[in-house]
Amino acid sequence: MPELPEVEHTRKNLERWMRGGLLVAVRTSDARIVRPLEPGTFIRRLQGRKVETIERRGKWIRLGLDDDQKLFIHLGMTGWFEHGAGAVASNPLMNARRLGQPLRFERVRFEVMKAGRRSSIVYVDPRRWGRMVLSKQEISTWLELGPDPLEEGIDPKGLSMKLARRKKGSIKEALMDQRLLAGVGNIQAVEALWKAGIDPRSRASALDVADMSAIARGLRWTFRRTLADLARPKKGSKNPFCIYGRKGEPCPRCGETLEGVELGGRSTTYCPGCQSLRRSRGASVNSPRARWGARS
DNA sequence: ATTATTGTTGGTAG
DNA sequence: TCTACCAACAATAA
């Protein structure tokens, strides 16, 4: 599921379902997901607590509880939440699913009493790469996250200065570095770079402030787009993205055939026609199209 | 059967 | 001690 837009969508859902609610029961037997706590300890420390805040930073969600504990949640690659009427006090008129039986790949279940109604919030995660870390302290992964693009905005100048110091690595890998900017994953990086017209293989240190401004616009554009797609009543097509997963198809902007390359161990789609490779700061125009055009 | 998948992390080599 | 690289984690879909 999750990059920043999906996690923000999840955060909003959790806020509607849980904020101000009481955790009347918690169920899990998954020691992997709730590590380092044992499931029994995890459950005991959560039951009876009230959920006061639901925040997000990058791909992490943090629930603030009334006793100062915090529950840090990461959805991994395949985690999501389901919500439905609880086993008790379920009203047949309620416009909510009934989640009485355990779901396939259910890992953690929260029974929440909120505004006099009881409901189930179920964490489902087939691959079990997600985590729920319960702690009174902040955790290092959260503290080490870079600025959140939605909460704190994107600072092209600051990013550009940080990138200048990177001796190696592509801009695409840099964008996925959670310490630089929190929340950008493979898809959003691919889409934003396409929007910005920048070849993902460009050295991170070769980008100037104007390039970073274009990337910032590209990121805001793809976040908004993905968020809007998630908010649609029915889930849209299987691939709502412009170029991600479309290698071999024509570029929606210039018609050139989209190509694929591997960067940072992840498949990367780009358009050789309208995404230009930055070779060094300043001298930026070096697109195949520009060269081809100049020759003819 | 084979390959690829929206993400971290822990181990190892340098 | 710091960084880069990569296998591992697990289940599905094409």
Side-chain angles (χ1 to χ4, degrees):
Chain A
M1 252 232 144
E3 287 183 45
L4 186 147
E6 292 87 352
V7 179
E8 174 61 12
H9 186 68
T10 300
R11 188 198 66 76
K12 287 179 188 156
N13 279 339
L14 292 180
E15 193 157 276
R16 283 193 288 121
W17 302 335
M18 300 184 108
R19 195 179 63 185
L22 189 69
L23 298 173
V24 292
V26 176
R27 292 184 233 289
T28 184
S29 57
D30 201 311
R32 178 186 165 77
I33 285 175
V34 304
R35 74 198 134 95
L37 295 186
E38 291 300 315
T41 313
F42 180 85
I43 290 167
R44 196 171 344 108
R45 291 198 193 164
L46 278 175
Q47 283 180 344
R49 302 274 55 85
K50 194 173 129 192
V51 181
E52 293 185 331
T53 56
I54 296 111
E55 298 161 290
R56 181 192 56 76
R57 188 159 176 187
K59 302 171 194 170
W60 283 89
I61 288 169
R62 181 177 68 179
L63 303 192
L65 307 176
D66 60 352
D67 66 346
D68 232 35
Q69 291 188 101
K70 299 151 191 69
L71 182 60
F72 296 89
I73 302 172
H74 196 290
L75 306 175
M77 189 102 91
T78 55
W80 75 91
F81 283 95
E82 295 278 351
H83 178 245
V88 183
S90 62
N91 179 343
L93 298 176
M94 221 156 75
N95 186 24
R97 295 177 54 185
R98 301 184 61 104
L99 299 181
Q101 290 301 113
L103 302 178
R104 186 158 142 91
F105 303 125
E106 170 172 336
R107 308 301 182 193
V108 183
R109 174 175 292 240
F110 304 95
E111 304 286 348
V112 173
M113 188 66 79
K114 171 174 165 153
R117 302 193 176 198
R118 181 167 168 148
S119 66
S120 302
I121 290 121
V122 179
Y123 179 65
V124 184
D125 187 352
R127 291 164 82 167
R128 300 168 73 217
W129 291 0
R131 301 255 342 234
M132 290 196 192
V133 183
L134 182 60
S135 163
K136 281 210 172 186
Q137 311 292 318
E138 300 290 350
I139 59 172
S140 57
T141 34
W142 174 278
L143 291 173
E144 287 162 14
L145 291 173
D148 183 273
L150 291 192
E151 297 296 317
E152 297 154 79
I154 305 170
D155 170 22
K157 187 151 191 188
L159 286 181
S160 166
M161 284 166 59
K162 283 189 181 171
L163 292 181
R165 287 186 237 118
R166 297 201 173 207
K167 280 300 146 218
K168 41 185 322 183
S170 65
I171 179 58
K172 195 255 193 171
E173 291 167 277
L175 289 178
M176 292 196 298
D177 181 344
Q178 301 300 297
R179 293 165 309 183
L180 184 78
L181 207 57
V184 183
N186 199 34
I187 293 179
Q188 300 296 322
V190 163
E191 295 283 298
L193 285 166
W194 174 77
K195 189 66 175 176
I198 294 169
D199 189 312
R201 298 167 298 179
S202 305
R203 293 304 91 192
S205 55
L207 302 202
D208 58 24
V209 185
D211 293 326
M212 290 315 299
S213 297
I215 289 173
R217 284 193 299 275
L219 285 169
R220 287 191 290 268
W221 166 81
T222 184
F223 290 155
R224 270 224 306 267
R225 239 178 131 258
T226 310
L227 232 19
D229 188 66
L230 290 166
R232 279 160 42 157
K234 285 277 183 179
K235 48 184 162 189
S237 60
K238 41 192 182 302
N239 183 356
F241 303 108
C242 287
I243 70 159
Y244 170 81
R246 299 195 184 280
K247 181 173 74 174
E249 295 180 28
C251 170
R253 183 165 52 203
C254 78
E256 203 92 348
T257 302
L258 298 173
E259 289 186 7
V261 68
E262 183 169 304
L263 287 174
R266 317 299 299 279
S267 72
T268 307
T269 312
Y270 70 99
C271 175
C274 59
Q275 288 180 260
S276 70
L277 188 67
R278 268 52 170 180
R279 296 185 180 282
S280 64
R281 291 197 174 203
S284 57
V285 180
N286 199 17
S287 74
R289 158 152 306 206
R291 273 187 277 120
W292 187 82
R295 225 180 284 138
S296 18

